[in-house]
Amino acid sequence: MAESQSVSPQTPPFVGSELSDADFEAVRRLILERCGFDLGHYKNPCIRRRIAARIRARGFRSAAPYLETLSREEGEAEALLSALTIHVSQFFRNPSTFAVLGSRVLPELVARARREGNRPLRLWSVGCAGGEEPYTLALLLAELDETEVPVEILATDLSGAALQRGAAGVFEAGRLDAVPPALRERYFEPCGKLFRLREDVRSRVVFRRHNILERDAYPAAELILCRNVLIYFSREEQDEILRRFAADLPSGGYLVLGRAETLLGDTRRLFTIEDPAERIYRRK
């Protein structure tokens, strides 16, 4: 591990505004080379703040020694990329959103699939972090008792570490605070101080690494949850992502955004508003 920089106690901590354009470009090139991901597409101030936080976490007070560590130390590029994305979540985050999904949206999608000969149904959680969001969908489906309809919940994220944690299905108690007591008792097993989600529920979720800015095809789905992800992109990138979601959703498919996100410009013509408070939209 690299040595921390020697500084006086009066030296202020490094902040994102101190990261020069040249240093940011050096970080961007290294992440692109090592991880195949281009930071240039993200909102610059947000990314600079998180790079600065990683620099502080490694014990540095300036960018230069951290750049040396980033270029030399195996695994630091992946660790930085992981730090640049939000992985803090919990089951039933924004419970009112999942109340609508569980009472209206999922029953309708399952009933439609059943009418069409029990065809497969796919749901997609974008930016799934440690799996709490897609596993919440799996819990709601388990309560619907729709075993005759084959369902796949696709959970994607940039961070390989987050995907590994999600696939393990083991969570701290605090991540379960919003889980109704009956569901907590029925579907979670104590694992020391942690809780493991039952295997039959976990098996519904497939974890895959995916970058929504890449030009390869988006997976087809009838429900897409992309909550608190668009806020990290420029307006132009948001518009492109929303258009691609619309292209892959069937007529009547659903898109769920975060509370601070909304449809932009012409993309509003592609959807109707199903629930404005919960940011639930339906493909025209």
Side-chain angles (χ1 to χ4, degrees):
M1 180 174 290
E3 294 291 330
S4 297
Q5 203 174 353
S6 177
V7 294
S8 72
Q10 289 75 37
T11 304
F14 184 79
V15 295
S17 59
E18 298 177 59
L19 189 70
S20 70
D21 290 344
D23 288 338
F24 179 82
E25 178 59 20
V27 171
R28 188 193 71 81
R29 286 199 307 270
L30 280 166
I31 294 295
L32 182 60
E33 176 186 326
R34 303 281 175 81
C35 304
F37 182 75
D38 191 351
L39 297 178
H41 294 300
Y42 279 75
K43 289 183 178 178
N44 199 276
C46 175
I47 290 299
R48 285 175 184 256
R49 286 194 297 270
R50 295 192 180 175
I51 293 172
R54 180 63 185 173
I55 291 173
R56 294 194 300 271
R58 290 302 308 266
F60 298 116
R61 298 293 183 97
S62 65
Y66 177 73
L67 285 171
E68 292 180 15
T69 298
L70 183 63
S71 63
R72 184 181 66 250
E73 191 172 296
E74 181 122 9
E76 178 57 25
E78 180 67 36
L80 174 59
L81 182 59
S82 182
L84 294 178
T85 55
I86 291 290
H87 298 127
V88 177
S89 188
Q90 63 178 165
F91 284 83
F92 290 91
R93 185 180 183 185
N94 302 127
S96 58
T97 300
F98 285 102
V100 175
L101 293 177
S103 64
R104 287 164 35 196
V105 174
L106 290 176
E108 177 194 322
L109 292 177
V110 168
R112 186 190 307 170
R114 187 180 293 121
R115 288 194 304 269
E116 296 173 5
N118 293 330
R119 61 166 174 74
L121 176 64
R122 174 181 276 175
L123 318 177
W124 181 17
S125 170
V126 181
C128 67
E132 293 87 349
E133 180 177 270
Y135 282 141
T136 300
L137 292 175
L139 289 172
L140 293 174
L141 286 167
E143 289 296 287
L144 287 178
D145 191 24
E146 41 53 75
T147 52
E148 69 273 25
V149 175
V151 179
E152 178 187 89
I153 302 171
L154 178 62
T156 64
D157 202 278
L158 274 173
S159 170
L163 294 171
Q164 286 182 346
R165 290 196 302 271
V170 179
F171 301 92
E172 299 172 353
R175 302 295 180 95
L176 278 61
D177 284 347
V179 177
L183 297 189
R184 183 167 176 164
E185 171 102 9
R186 191 176 305 139
Y187 295 108
F188 290 88
E189 305 161 346
C191 183
K193 294 183 178 180
L194 306 175
F195 292 86
R196 185 187 299 275
L197 185 61
R198 265 177 28 189
E199 195 279 333
D200 60 315
V201 179
R202 297 201 315 270
S203 65
R204 284 279 181 86
V205 181
V206 176
F207 289 90
R208 184 186 305 167
R209 193 166 187 174
H210 184 266
N211 176 6
I212 59 174
L213 289 181
E214 291 178 353
R215 299 300 176 183
D216 58 346
Y218 280 23
E222 291 185 61
L223 169 65
I224 298 175
L225 276 70
C226 183
R227 302 193 303 156
N228 308 309
V229 174
L230 294 179
I231 55 176
Y232 299 107
F233 296 101
S234 69
R235 189 179 181 91
E236 292 75 18
E237 296 292 349
Q238 290 180 33
D239 182 75
E240 175 65 18
I241 291 166
L242 289 168
R243 288 181 182 279
R244 296 176 76 185
F245 283 156
D248 286 331
L249 282 167
S251 176
Y254 288 91
L255 172 67
V256 185
L257 301 180
R259 296 287 179 83
E261 299 165 329
T262 189
L263 297 179
L264 302 169
D266 289 343
T267 59
R268 286 176 287 192
R269 300 178 184 176
L270 304 174
F271 295 88
T272 57
I273 301 174
E274 181 72 14
D275 191 312
E278 305 303 334
R279 298 294 196 270
I280 299 176
Y281 304 91
R282 191 163 186 169
R283 181 71 167 96
K284 288 184 179 178

